């Protein structure tokens, strides 16, 4: 199995395995615990994740908040169009990187009209990406606008009414607006479970990565090393950086909930494995061969075939198995785990079940 060949990350998933609703309650989803070093797997309930945590661990969560990022409007000609908010570009939230449809008909200096408001196209890039400016005077006006006129951007494989899923497609600790998609590994947590985790001596820290095109854009290059991942905005507060460095100094584990948390932590690490605080855009693309410097354990969902997220998971599992130079074996095991999970009725993707790699 060639770890750089896109086809190595493919697998067949029956449509009925794609979860259309979150588990109710959230922490009743299934949890597959995988120890890559011994190649052991254990099937559990997500709320039993506390059995695999211990005093001194630090759980890192992405506190980004999904916004109603799909906006439907009209061009000057009267033709219908759509804007999908990808990435905020200015503190006032009035300038954005977006996807537009139909891209072939929307160009620089064109205007789009949504419920009486004018959006100007200010920049044009490949693959339907544009930059736009909204005609509001403040961030609060913009937020009120998208809350009233925007649509929750559920993934295309979820066939439910978007606005009825606003609460379901949001973590219970979501705080900072800016994401076009949820950090789905953390959808499993409930307030009660988080309190139970704290009670056993596990500390909780927060980072922010606003999920955009870089996370969900499909990999198209046959050689995955040629994939150009888009940048996403991320932040690590000083208190989080201090908690991580203290945890590592004391021999505790850094547990990343989700690939977005993992990418943020690795983005802000130095060569010695220390974390620094700050704000930046990341285009870190993690695939087999990458050596993790911060993350000791990873909570994640079951990801789409041939996705960059699946590549990150494979890279992390190889790290846990100390299989540098033999990443192909770990990738083969991961694909087999996915196939077996599908055969046994596990739920996949955003609202699906979880995996804990330790």
């Amino acid at each position: 199995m060639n770890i750089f060949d896109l086809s190595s990350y493919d697998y067949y998933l029956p449509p009925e395995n794609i979860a259309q609703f979150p588990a109710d309650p959230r922490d009743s989803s299934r949890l597959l615990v995988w120890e890559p070093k011994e190649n052991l797997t254990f099937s559990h309930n997500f709320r039993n994740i506390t059995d695999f945590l211990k005093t001194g661990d630090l759980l890192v969560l992405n506190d980004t908040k999904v916004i109603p990022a799909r906006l439907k409007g009209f061009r000057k000609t009267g033709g219908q169009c759509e804007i999908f908010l990808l990435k905020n570009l200015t503190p006032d939230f009035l300038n954005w990187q977006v996807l537009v449809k139909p891209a072939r008909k929307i160009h620089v200096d064109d205007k789009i009209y949504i419920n009486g408001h004018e959006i100007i196209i200010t920049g044009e890039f490949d693959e339907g990406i544009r930059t736009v400016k909204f005609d509001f005077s403040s961030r609060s006006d913009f937020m009120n606008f998208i809350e009233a006129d925007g649509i929750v951007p559920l993934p295309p494989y979820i066939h439910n009414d978007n606005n009825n899923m606003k609460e379901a497609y949001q973590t219970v600790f979501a705080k900072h607006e800016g994401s076009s998609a949820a950090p789905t590994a953390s959808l499993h947590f409930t307030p009660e479970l988080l309190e139970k985790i704290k009670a056993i001596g596990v500390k909780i820290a927060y980072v922010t990565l606003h999920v955009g095109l870089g996370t969900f854009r499909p990999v198209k290059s046959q050689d995955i090393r040629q994939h150009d991942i888009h940048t996403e905005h991320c932040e690590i507060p000083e208190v989080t950086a201090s908690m991580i460095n203290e945890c590592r100094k004391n021999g505790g584990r850094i547990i990343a909930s989700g690939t977005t948390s993992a990418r943020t932590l690795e983005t802000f690490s130095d060569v010695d494995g220390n974390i620094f605080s700050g704000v930046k855009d990341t285009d870190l693309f993690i695939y087999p061969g990458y050596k993790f410097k911060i993350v000791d354990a990873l909570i994640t969902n079951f990801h789409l075939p041939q996705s960059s997220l699946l590549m990150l998971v494979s890279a992390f599992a190889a790290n846990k198995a100390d299989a540098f130079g033999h990443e192909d074996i770990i990738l083969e095991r991961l694909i087999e785990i996915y196939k077996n999970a599908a055969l046994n009725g596990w739920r996949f993707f955003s609202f699906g079940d979880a995996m804990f790699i330790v």
Side-chain angles (χ1 to χ4, degrees), residues 57-243:
D57 287 343
L58 179 66
L59 174 64
V60 180
L61 305 171
N62 180 6
D63 64 5
T64 188
K65 189 173 184 178
V66 181
I67 60 174
R70 287 182 60 203
L71 297 164
K72 294 186 177 183
F74 297 89
R75 294 176 286 121
K76 189 174 182 179
T77 61
Q80 293 184 343
C81 63
E82 180 176 304
I83 291 177
F84 189 104
L85 302 174
L86 291 175
K87 181 182 174 185
N88 173 48
L89 301 175
T90 52
D92 59 12
F93 268 45
L94 302 184
N95 294 272
W96 283 79
Q97 181 190 81
V98 302
L99 282 176
V100 297
K101 293 179 182 179
R104 69 185 185 281
K105 295 184 178 181
I106 301 175
H107 306 286
V108 173
D109 294 331
D110 286 347
K111 296 177 181 179
I112 291 172
Y113 302 91
I114 302 174
N115 198 15
H117 296 283
E118 185 178 88
I119 298 98
I120 301 173
I121 307 298
T122 58
E124 183 171 348
F125 305 90
D126 293 338
E127 298 179 305
I129 298 175
R130 305 288 187 266
T131 53
V132 300
K133 180 176 177 59
F134 289 86
D135 67 345
F136 297 99
S137 59
S138 69
R139 172 172 171 166
S140 61
D141 287 344
F142 170 80
M143 293 305 301
N144 290 336
F145 162 69
I146 63 170
E147 285 295 332
D149 294 285
I151 301 169
V152 175
L154 292 179
Y157 49 76
I158 295 177
H159 309 297
N160 291 311
D161 180 81
N162 296 57
N163 285 329
N164 287 339
M165 305 297 284
K166 272 188 177 181
E167 186 176 342
Y169 198 56
Q170 199 81 267
T171 65
V172 297
F173 48 80
K175 183 177 182 181
H176 300 293
E177 294 105 341
S179 268
S180 302
T184 55
S186 292
L187 293 177
H188 305 280
F189 289 103
T190 64
E192 295 78 15
L193 179 57
L194 291 172
E195 288 303 315
K196 186 177 178 182
I197 288 170
K198 291 178 185 177
I200 62 175
V202 176
K203 294 183 179 179
I204 297 177
Y206 296 93
V207 299
T208 304
L209 182 142
H210 292 316
V211 186
L213 191 61
T215 291
F216 61 80
R217 179 177 176 237
V219 178
K220 297 179 179 178
S221 304
Q222 194 60 39
D223 184 335
I224 65 171
R225 293 170 293 184
Q226 304 305 314
H227 177 59
D228 180 23
I229 197 165
H230 283 244
T231 62
E232 294 170 310
H233 177 84
C234 57
E235 304 180 22
I236 292 188
E238 287 186 15
V239 62
T240 295
S242 296
M243 291 174 70

